[in-house]
Amino acid sequence: MVNLSKISEEGLGSQSLQRAFDGIIPLVAGTCAADGTPNITFMSQFFYVDEQHVAISYQFMNKTWRNLNINPIFTTLVTNPDTMAMWKLKLQYVEEQKEGPIFEEMEMQLMALSTPENINFSLRSAVICRVLSIENVFEGSEMP
Amino acid sequence: MLLTDHQTDLLQAHYTSTYVGYSGANSLTDIIKLSGVLVNEDRVHIDLFVPELYTQTFVKNIQENVKLSCLFTSVYTLETYQIKGTYLGTRPCTAAEINLQKAYVEGFGQHRVNLGMKNGLAFVKYYREPGIAIRMRAEEIYEQTPKTGTGKKIG
């Protein structure tokens, strides 16, 4: 487990983890409903904001959104597509942004992923989250 | 609820990415990537396979909350479903289940290679022994393919 104070040098700032944010392998987010029922879903985008914050894309996550407004601390699982390394990030929902530079950058990246016959990648908002902890679950392996 | 033939086939396929979610008394949901799944003939009971190495929080949380979710998606089409249900127990994996998991992680890694991830077979190392089987009773299923209006309960 990486302490918050060390996130910038060992966690969010690492190239290997940031590669996992590219969306090639969708991240998985787990939230909890008021009655304790877990809800897990895929999200297509994870965006580095600063040393202690990330943004996730709000597209199709109705249940996740309801859960975040009840239990704002949640877990995400991200995978580096080059090494298959996996990390769990414990996040705390901070705010929703429907405009501004972070939203616009995320929207542009999602539009690049869209194709006419493919999934609709329109963005409703950028969900800004504080990173509480980072845990390397699986180290993967380097490219041969 | 009963899983359909299609849902069962997708859940057990090597090209399907599978996860289990569980929450403790602190209302924090944790996630484990699975190393295999087997649907019982009754189409209600499901065995979720996972290396014991990754189950530290599961062991604690499941004593506080027996609700489970299982997410599964085709890595090619992103057709996705989430099963919600109840934890029934854990046990060590049998020899046949160990072989099932070894075949799954190798097959899944190869499908990632097919998708252009040159090092996809590194996923084979995700599997570690000993493995455990988590038995779950499926009670609800939701469509979760990423598209407008997704999240509908379908069973």
Side-chain angles (χ1 to χ4, degrees), chain A residues 1-2 77 86-90 133-138, chain B residues 30 56-57:
Chain A
M1 186 86 64
V2 178
L77 185 68
M86 294 179 215
W87 292 264
K88 274 185 202 170
L89 283 74
K90 189 187 295 183
S133 66
I134 302 172
E135 178 187 1
N136 182 227
V137 178
F138 172 54
Chain B
D30 208 340
Q56 297 95 330
T57 61

Side-chain angles (χ1 to χ4, degrees), chain A residues 19 38-39 106:
Chain A
R19 177 72 171 128
N39 186 74
M106 291 179 76

Side-chain angles (χ1 to χ4, degrees), chain B residues 10 20 22 40 48 50 68 77 82 87 93 96 111 136:
Chain B
L10 181 58
V20 63
Y22 51 94
N40 193 280
L48 311 173
V50 62
L68 293 179
T77 65
Q82 182 178 195
Y87 166 80
C93 290
H111 286 293
M136 170 184 186

Side-chain angles (χ1 to χ4, degrees), chain A:
Chain A
M1 186 86 64
V2 178
N3 293 326
L4 182 60
S5 61
K6 292 185 176 179
I7 280 176
S8 62
E9 56 187 82
E10 294 180 31
L12 283 184
S14 84
Q15 285 189 334
S16 184
L17 179 55
Q18 290 212 4
R19 177 72 171 128
F21 294 176
D22 287 352
I24 294 172
I25 297 178
L27 74 116
V28 184
T31 59
C32 185
D35 69 353
T37 302
N39 186 74
I40 47 178
T41 190
F42 289 104
M43 292 180 182
S44 52
Q45 202 180 13
F46 212 77
F47 190 85
Y48 175 85
V49 175
D50 62 33
E51 292 179 353
Q52 296 188 351
H53 295 86
V54 295
I56 57 175
S57 52
Y58 182 170
Q59 295 166 271
F60 317 108
M61 57 177 200
N62 293 335
K63 182 63 177 173
T64 298
W65 182 244
R66 287 196 296 273
N67 288 353
L68 284 183
N69 282 276
I70 297 167
N71 293 309
I73 297 177
F74 65 108
T75 303
T76 56
L77 185 68
V78 299
T79 306
N80 180 315
D82 298 328
T83 65
M84 302 299 131
M86 294 179 215
W87 292 264
K88 274 185 202 170
L89 283 74
K90 189 187 295 183
L91 305 179
Q92 182 172 29
Y93 165 58
V94 175
E95 65 173 347
E96 183 187 22
Q97 294 185 0
K98 295 186 175 180
E99 58 183 11
I102 295 170
F103 176 85
E104 289 167 11
E105 181 69 24
M106 291 179 76
E107 188 174 47
M108 199 160 53
Q109 288 183 10
L110 282 172
M111 285 170 66
L113 292 172
S114 296
T115 60
E117 68 279 2
N118 203 339
I119 307 294
N120 174 4
F121 278 106
S122 59
L123 181 66
R124 173 173 157 164
S125 64
V127 178
I128 310 298
C129 301
R130 191 161 79 95
V131 180
L132 301 178
S133 66
I134 302 172
E135 178 187 1
N136 182 227
V137 178
F138 172 54
E139 65 276 18
S141 69
E142 294 304 316
M143 292 283 284

Side-chain angles (χ1 to χ4, degrees), chain B residues 35-108:
Chain B
S35 51
V37 176
L38 189 62
V39 178
N40 193 280
E41 287 181 3
D42 65 11
R43 302 296 178 94
V44 173
H45 295 90
I46 307 169
D47 288 322
L48 311 173
F49 304 122
V50 62
E52 190 176 7
L53 173 69
Y54 307 121
T55 61
Q56 297 95 330
T57 61
F58 180 83
V59 172
K60 173 182 176 294
N61 285 7
I62 208 64
Q63 294 173 18
E64 302 169 345
N65 180 351
V66 295
K67 295 176 178 175
L68 293 179
S69 292
C70 174
L71 182 73
F72 59 106
T73 188
S74 161
V75 297
Y76 291 111
T77 65
L78 300 183
E79 179 181 3
T80 306
Y81 301 93
Q82 182 178 195
I83 298 167
K84 295 191 177 182
T86 302
Y87 166 80
L88 297 176
T90 55
R91 57 173 174 76
C93 290
T94 65
E97 290 165 347
I98 288 170
N99 289 335
L100 179 151
Q101 291 172 84
K102 288 178 178 176
Y104 171 77
V105 294
E106 186 164 344
F108 185 77

